[in-house]
């Protein structure tokens, strides 16, 4: 829940976000529409905890996401970027990004793969989840990369997915596919 939030970039005279309030319920998908420069990315950066608001409050399940709660809040949010970051490692390591092989929770991994509908891709890959991706391995399509980003978010049990024009580099068909998958996830 956003309560009357305002935000001004240090280098700007005018507020970019002024007295904005909104509630987002669990399971809802909210689209934010506006002309270029109207403050959509700024709002998302605020939600991600990357920018500090001038005034107002941000609540998560009625808890204030102030400095003492910020770390916990950040651990609940996933950001789906326009360009998905892939390391020259296995698909498994790309989903459980940053975890050593011995730390990877197979149950969570398999669940994340199912939720992000990566099963079909994995069946086609020469070594399944152990196939190396990236510059030195298999190159994937935009839609497949977005699914890996989703699988990452699920593996790390993020409650909130934030997409800032995440599908704008994809063709219409792939975009429709991803939007459909996200709808199914609700
Ligand atoms: P949108 O995502 O809707 O296109 P942005 O949130 O990126 O809009 O930008 C909103 C306004 O804030 C614009 O006027 C933009 O120039 C300004 N702005 C964005 N980022 C910065 C920044 N880092 N420093 C100063 N001004 C910024
Ligand atoms: Mg933007």
């Amino acid at each position: 829940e956003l309560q009357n939030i305002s935000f001004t970039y240090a280098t700007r005279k005018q507020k970019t976000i002024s007295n904005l309030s909104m509630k987002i319920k669990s399971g809802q998908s909210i689209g934010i529409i506006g002309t270029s420069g109207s403050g959509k990315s700024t709002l998302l950066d605020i939600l991600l905890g990357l920018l500090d608001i001038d005034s107002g409050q941000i609540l998560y399940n009625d808890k204030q996401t102030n400095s003492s709660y910020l770390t916990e809040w950040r651990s609940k949010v996933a950001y789906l970027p326009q360009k998905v970051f892939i390391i020259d490692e296995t698909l498994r390591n790309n989903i459980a990004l940053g975890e050593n092989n011995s730390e990877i929770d197979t149950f969570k991994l398999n669940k994340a793969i199912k939720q992000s509908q990566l099963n079909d891709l994995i069946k086609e890959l020469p070594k399944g989840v152990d196939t190396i991706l990236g510059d030195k391995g298999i190159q994937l399509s935009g839609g497949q990369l977005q699914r890996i980003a989703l699988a990452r978010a699920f593996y790390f049990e993020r409650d909130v997915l934030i997409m800032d024009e995440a599908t704008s580099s994809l063709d219409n068909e792939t975009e429709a596919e991803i939007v459909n998958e996200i709808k199914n996830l609700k």
Side-chain angles (χ1 to χ4, degrees):
E1 177 171 6
L2 305 180
Q3 292 179 342
N4 263 311
I5 63 156
S6 293
F7 173 81
T8 316
Y9 282 106
T11 54
R12 296 282 168 129
K13 287 195 185 118
Q14 298 220 332
K15 288 177 184 172
T16 293
I17 306 274
S18 176
N19 287 319
L20 178 74
S21 298
M22 67 191 274
K23 259 188 189 179
I24 302 172
K25 292 184 177 161
S26 175
Q28 265 184 339
S29 297
I30 304 276
I32 295 164
I33 305 170
T35 52
S36 171
S38 59
K40 305 179 295 292
S41 294
T42 304
L43 176 61
L44 298 184
D45 286 346
I46 291 169
L47 285 176
L48 285 163
L50 299 174
L51 296 173
D52 281 334
I53 49 177
D54 307 338
S55 56
Q57 286 190 7
I58 303 175
L59 306 169
Y60 178 67
N61 289 345
D62 298 326
K63 265 191 268 177
Q64 273 203 48
T65 60
N66 53 18
S67 49
S68 58
Y69 186 65
L70 194 59
T71 312
E72 194 181 334
W73 164 244
R74 283 198 184 124
S75 74
K76 308 218 180 279
V77 187
Y79 177 70
L80 268 63
Q82 224 169 63
K83 194 174 181 308
V84 178
F85 180 70
I86 293 291
I87 53 170
D88 284 326
E89 271 289 345
T90 62
L91 176 56
R92 182 204 307 277
N93 292 130
N94 268 287
I95 295 172
L97 193 64
E99 292 200 340
N100 295 324
N101 276 323
S102 58
E103 293 172 328
I104 296 176
D105 182 326
T106 311
F107 178 78
K108 280 202 299 188
L109 183 81
N110 290 334
K111 197 172 157 200
I113 286 169
K114 194 167 171 234
Q115 284 177 309
S116 54
Q117 304 188 15
L118 277 170
N119 279 316
D120 287 347
L121 169 69
I122 289 168
K123 271 183 217 145
E124 282 174 27
L125 293 176
K127 289 184 180 169
V129 286
D130 296 312
T131 307
I132 306 275
L133 309 180
D135 290 341
K136 296 186 191 109
I138 303 251
Q139 299 293 313
L140 300 169
S141 73
Q144 291 166 333
L145 292 172
Q146 284 298 336
R147 267 182 235 161
I148 291 173
L150 271 178
R152 249 174 222 163
F154 293 132
Y155 181 81
F156 291 102
E157 300 178 323
R158 304 296 162 124
D159 291 339
V160 182
L161 297 180
I162 294 183
M163 306 173 80
D164 190 356
E165 306 195 38
T167 57
S168 62
S169 65
L170 306 177
D171 57 80
N172 288 339
E173 214 170 285
T174 315
E175 180 177 37
E177 207 180 295
I178 301 254
V179 170
N180 223 354
E181 278 167 24
I182 289 168
K183 274 188 195 152
N184 290 335
L185 293 170
K186 287 201 289 178

